[in-house]
Amino acid sequence: MAKLYYEKDADAALIQGRKVAVLGYGSQGHAHALNLAESGVDVRVGLRDGSSSRRKAEEAGLRVLSTAEAAAEADLIMILLPDTEQKAVYDAEIAPHLREGDAIFFAHGFNIRFGQIAPPAGVDVAMVAPKGPGHLVRRTYTEGGGVPSLVAVAQDASGKAHDLALSYAHAIGATRAGVLDTTFEEETETDLFGEQVVLCGGLTALVQAGFDTLVDAGYQPESAYFECLHELKLIVDLMYEQGIAGMRFSISDTAEYGDLTRGPRVIDDHVRATMRTVLDEIRSGAFAEEWIAENRAGRGRFEELRRAGAAHPIEKIGEELRGMMPFIAAGRQRVQDVSGG
Ligand code: NAD
Ligand code: MG
């Protein structure tokens, strides 16, 4: 098994000796900034002028500066801006303030892996990537826990970049859950693959296709919704807690037999071949190139696909059914409160 790092493996003093700038106050930004501050780290938040997050961050007791001021003042800069914005902000507001001995940190390897950002020699380049959304990074920390995280070093100018990354991970609570070494390549490629093939792309397409199949065969959309979407959470919770085998222990024998015999027919060799093609597009940089070009062109196709997805019949029936289950909507509200902006 790979080596995992826990609290005893980290030197808390390393990050406490740095001046840290957290750029961005969205999902990850608010969580890192608050956890670092509560772990005794000297942290400032860098935001663009007119940011709606300024008030939130100040009310939380954090010091807020402009992006450029924060980058200039700090000797460790954690970039928690949207991946598509990072290059422009780096070129204009971060790069001019980098000095020998500084460190640049990321929570995802996209811009380093695909060559969008190329920091100068003399600067440590590392990653601390929590394997969970920001609101969990924050909530688990306040509860005494943490979110497992990956650390990686792309450039070790100081010879201590890995220890520094581990110390940062410790300060956001990650060493309470486990920290795993990776590389910028592995993190970026597996992260994109996971979200495209399983977590987001594969899952949403599977749910929609199942729903469509039932509705097209004449079943009530309400039944199709409960079967193909609503129940998913119960199954995923079981898998999360006990693995696939544990989940199978909890379902009926009929469900389990159908699972074992029909699952591989749905996700067949053709689907597995498509997965490998999608992985090839990630590794060759073709996906990154396409996504960067889409952003440069104003995101027209992205917005069109988004609208089409929101217009799928499963959304309308889902909204009505969830309206009758206010306890579900309450959970969603809590997540929105802490992210974005
Ligand atoms: P986000 O969209 O929630 O927040 C981004 C923040 O940057 C917001 O405060 C926004 O106002 C600000 N911002 C946007 N454009 C800006 C600009 N041009 N200049 C200055 N500020 C700007 O983003 P996020 O989801 O927290 O992602 C941040 C990083 O963390 C990304 O690299 C992402 O891949 C990584 N990450 C995210 C998650 C997650 O669950 N959200 C998990 C692991 C890693
Ligand atoms: Mg991910």
Side-chain angles (χ1 to χ4, degrees):
M1 246 185 94
K3 172 159 176 58
L4 278 147
Y5 300 93
Y6 294 96
E7 297 202 75
K8 62 173 174 32
D9 302 312
D11 179 358
L14 289 179
I15 192 69
Q16 285 166 344
R18 305 291 291 233
K19 286 185 269 192
V20 177
V22 171
L23 304 186
Y25 200 69
S27 176
Q28 290 293 324
H30 89 282
H32 289 229
L34 292 169
N35 293 4
L36 287 167
E38 285 169 28
S39 293
V41 177
D42 173 16
V43 59
R44 70 272 302 129
V45 175
L47 296 175
R48 58 188 156 176
D49 295 336
S51 166
S52 62
S53 302
R54 174 176 273 270
R55 194 182 47 81
K56 267 193 277 179
E58 284 177 344
E59 278 173 9
L62 293 162
R63 215 173 126 237
V64 179
L65 303 172
S66 73
T67 307
E69 284 167 351
E73 203 181 274
D75 55 26
L76 188 158
I77 301 164
M78 172 51 109
I79 306 180
L80 296 174
L81 309 172
D83 296 301
T84 50
E85 303 290 323
Q86 292 183 7
K87 179 185 163 48
V89 176
Y90 174 85
D91 289 344
E93 291 168 275
I94 301 172
H97 303 291
L98 289 176
R99 311 210 187 310
E100 194 137 330
D102 284 356
I104 309 184
F105 275 40
F106 294 85
H108 177 41
F110 190 96
N111 283 284
I112 294 292
R113 165 64 180 83
F114 297 115
Q116 299 300 294
I117 294 177
V123 168
D124 284 344
V125 181
M127 168 168 33
V128 178
K131 289 287 99 184
H135 76 275
L136 273 186
V137 174
R138 179 59 187 152
R139 198 182 78 205
T140 53
Y141 179 90
T142 61
E143 292 168 353
V147 167
S149 301
L150 304 177
V151 295
V153 172
Q155 185 164 285
D156 190 6
S158 67
K160 300 210 72 171
H162 185 265
D163 290 345
L164 186 60
L166 211 49
S167 185
Y168 184 106
H170 181 66
I172 64 168
T175 49
R176 297 169 181 170
V179 172
L180 179 70
D181 279 327
T182 186
T183 61
F184 274 65
E185 290 74 20
E186 180 178 75
E187 186 276 339
T188 305
E189 293 162 21
T190 58
D191 191 69
L192 291 171
F193 181 82
E195 65 203 20
Q196 292 177 16
V197 168
V198 180
L199 305 173
C200 308
L203 183 61
T204 57
L206 183 70
V207 168
Q208 288 178 340
F211 176 89
D212 289 345
T213 302
L214 287 177
V215 172
D216 290 349
Y219 296 100
Q220 303 180 82
E222 289 82 355
S223 299
Y225 178 85
F226 285 137
E227 282 305 327
C228 298
L229 193 152
H230 180 82
E231 279 199 63
L232 201 58
K233 173 161 168 44
L234 312 173
I235 297 297
V236 169
D237 282 350
L238 288 169
M239 285 170 52
Y240 178 80
E241 288 158 10
Q242 309 169 46
I244 292 174
M247 180 276 287
R248 285 176 172 156
F249 181 76
S250 296
I251 60 180
S252 70
D253 285 357
T254 308
E256 190 177 356
Y257 180 73
D259 165 351
L260 293 166
T261 57
R262 269 56 182 176
R265 283 174 55 196
V266 175
I267 307 300
D268 60 7
D269 287 345
H270 172 253
V271 174
R272 285 173 182 263
T274 306
M275 288 183 179
R276 281 191 295 274
T277 305
V278 169
L279 180 59
D280 288 343
E281 289 169 8
I282 291 166
R283 286 157 69 145
S284 73
F287 170 77
E289 214 171 279
E290 177 186 321
W291 176 223
I292 289 163
E294 176 64 22
N295 277 279
R296 288 215 179 102
R299 297 183 165 217
R301 174 152 177 269
F302 178 49
E303 291 300 341
E304 196 182 305
L305 292 168
R306 218 182 218 175
R307 274 194 300 276
H312 189 282
I314 201 171
E315 300 308 328
K316 189 164 169 354
I317 194 73
E319 205 178 328
E320 284 166 22
L321 293 170
R322 289 192 301 273
M324 302 305 289
M325 299 183 279
F327 47 93
I328 292 178
R332 182 189 59 192
Q333 195 52 50
R334 215 173 46 239
V335 174
Q336 279 176 347
D337 281 348
V338 296
S339 65

